[in-house]
Amino acid sequence: MEATTEEGNFREINIEFLAKGGDEGFDIFYKTDSFGTEKFVKFASTEPKHQEKVRRLLEEGTDQDFYIHEEDLFKYYKFATNALRAVMADPSVPVKEKTEKIYDVSKGVMKEFFDHNSSEKILESSEEVMEMMEDCMSTAEMGFHGIAEITSKDYYTYTHSVNVGLYCMTFGLKRKMTKNDTKQLSLGGMLHDVGKSKIDHALINKDGKLTDEEFEAMKSHANEGGKIISGMSCFASNVVRMAAEHHEKYKGGGYPIGKIGNEIHLFARICKIMDVYDALTTRRSYKKALSAFDTLIIMKKQMASDFDPDLLQDFIRLMGPDL
């Protein structure tokens, strides 16, 4: 082990994704706590000469947590996606294990963005990760039930974002949409709530119902999300519109504009269904998760005016025996 200690901003990583090395090198640290003082000690780097140390650690197993410098996040996610490609190409790895690994990387990307105010550039990693998930799911013909098995059951903005992306992807695959449309739909689902990065964390994490004033502040996330994705200039317009329009209601009364029916982009109408479905089937500190069956009853009976009725009926039909 290295004796050097360093200070700065560090992020916890999954060292498993660093086993195969890569083109760019960066340092890996572990954390110590001596007399109440937290230090980060260099363990290794990702350079080839240090890879044996990483491989040995993975073979032996460890409960030790590992970290990297904040500025190396982009390099880390490049390593992670390379590692995922190797996993995807290995026929001996079960499909569920593949999807779980992709889900973990997706969560990491979104958690960095929402919880640590990381640069919007990190969202670009989501495109490659979701492409791998689509390849995995389409090969395995995984349905909504399979997605429900790997998604987090606790509600956080970052897990909800990934969940909605996966539900959108599943809907696209089940509906036999084109590969490009399915890709855009899943990306837009994953990025639909990026505008919440501009909302006060205390408001985002509040238990219970928002006051009228708080709700007005929360509503701004739709416009903000559209601006963020549009400003990145690397995502298609339908992804932008999913962020901006996923709170519009089919029969009016939604926000931010109050669009009606087909004025709302098709992908945003799909996203709204998946957004509500995941929110209701996920537990929070102040409410239990509802079953898929109870959720769809509420959506069809109590919230029918919010959704495109044909799309909602398609969703219910495609859920099929998963209910």
Side-chain angles (χ1 to χ4, degrees):
M1 299 286 182
E2 302 279 349
T4 308
T5 59
E6 297 199 19
E7 296 183 0
N9 293 322
F10 291 82
R11 294 284 185 269
E12 188 174 344
I13 61 167
N14 182 348
I15 198 171
E16 177 185 352
F17 290 125
L18 306 182
K20 296 185 181 299
D23 298 331
E24 296 180 275
F26 53 89
D27 295 330
I28 308 164
F29 300 83
Y30 65 94
K31 185 166 62 175
T32 65
D33 193 336
S34 179
F35 301 105
T37 302
E38 197 174 78
K39 299 276 189 182
F40 287 88
V41 181
K42 183 178 175 182
F43 166 72
S45 79
T46 53
E47 295 173 1
K49 65 181 180 181
H50 286 158
Q51 282 302 296
E52 183 57 37
K53 186 185 287 190
V54 175
R55 277 193 291 271
R56 191 166 62 247
L57 182 74
L58 288 169
E59 287 171 3
E60 295 171 354
T62 179
D63 293 328
Q64 179 79 56
D65 294 326
F66 289 91
Y67 302 81
I68 58 172
H69 277 301
E70 183 181 52
E71 59 265 29
D72 289 327
L73 278 171
F74 301 129
K75 294 179 183 178
Y76 166 70
Y77 280 108
K78 183 177 179 181
F79 268 69
T81 51
N82 284 336
L84 282 176
R85 281 196 212 96
V87 171
M88 288 287 293
D90 187 345
S92 69
V93 179
V95 171
K96 186 178 179 186
E97 185 177 333
K98 290 178 179 180
T99 53
E100 285 172 346
K101 289 181 183 297
I102 299 170
Y103 184 71
D104 284 343
V105 173
S106 303
K107 282 195 305 182
V109 170
M110 300 311 293
K111 187 174 183 4
E112 282 298 332
F113 178 73
F114 283 116
D115 289 0
H116 299 298
N117 297 315
S118 294
S119 164
E120 291 157 10
K121 186 171 171 28
I122 200 168
L123 296 177
E124 294 177 23
S125 305
S126 61
E127 184 162 7
E128 192 169 3
V129 174
M130 292 302 268
E131 279 182 357
M132 282 188 273
M133 181 67 91
E134 183 190 344
D135 288 343
C136 189
M137 286 171 55
S138 57
T139 301
E141 296 186 351
M142 183 181 290
F144 289 103
H145 181 67
I147 291 301
E149 284 189 338
I150 67 167
T151 53
S152 171
K153 303 303 185 289
D154 291 306
Y155 187 98
Y156 299 98
T157 303
Y158 63 92
T159 53
H160 171 66
S161 297
V162 181
N163 294 355
V164 171
L166 295 184
Y167 282 123
C168 283
M169 179 187 292
T170 305
F171 187 80
L173 289 170
K174 289 282 188 182
R175 242 186 158 215
K176 302 191 182 306
M177 296 172 70
T178 67
K179 186 173 179 65
N180 186 60
D181 280 352
T182 302
K183 171 187 169 183
Q184 299 301 323
L185 182 63
S186 58
L187 262 177
M190 187 169 171
L191 302 178
H192 78 286
D193 265 347
V194 295
K196 287 185 177 177
S197 63
K198 304 295 186 184
I199 307 294
D200 183 359
H201 276 215
L203 188 57
I204 295 288
N205 298 319
K206 180 182 176 180
D207 288 348
K209 189 175 180 179
L210 301 179
T211 66
D212 290 345
E213 185 179 353
E214 289 170 337
F215 183 59
E216 285 302 314
M218 180 67 82
K219 283 163 63 174
S220 68
H221 83 271
N223 264 329
E224 291 294 340
K227 289 178 186 175
I228 289 171
I229 298 174
S230 177
M232 292 177 68
S233 301
C234 62
F235 294 116
S237 62
N238 46 19
V239 176
V240 175
R241 290 188 64 179
M242 286 175 76
E245 298 176 13
H246 69 280
H247 280 290
E248 299 288 4
K249 297 181 179 181
Y250 194 72
K251 292 192 175 178
Y255 64 86
I257 296 174
K259 290 185 175 184
I260 297 174
N262 292 345
E263 292 175 358
I264 308 164
H265 194 284
L266 170 64
F267 287 11
R269 283 178 270 148
I270 295 171
C271 185
K272 182 169 188 63
I273 292 170
M274 307 308 157
D275 182 23
V276 172
Y277 178 81
D278 183 67
L280 292 179
T281 55
T282 308
R283 63 177 170 250
R284 304 201 197 190
S285 58
Y286 57 88
K287 78 166 188 71
K288 292 181 179 180
L290 297 177
S291 69
F293 182 81
D294 289 342
T295 295
L296 292 175
I297 291 294
I298 289 172
M299 291 172 71
K300 190 164 177 63
K301 297 287 181 68
Q302 299 177 27
M303 305 174 70
S305 62
D306 292 3
F307 309 112
D308 180 322
D310 294 333
L311 292 175
L312 181 59
Q313 195 57 42
D314 258 3
F315 180 51
I316 294 170
R317 176 179 59 82
L318 294 171
M319 289 285 285
D322 292 346
L323 290 176

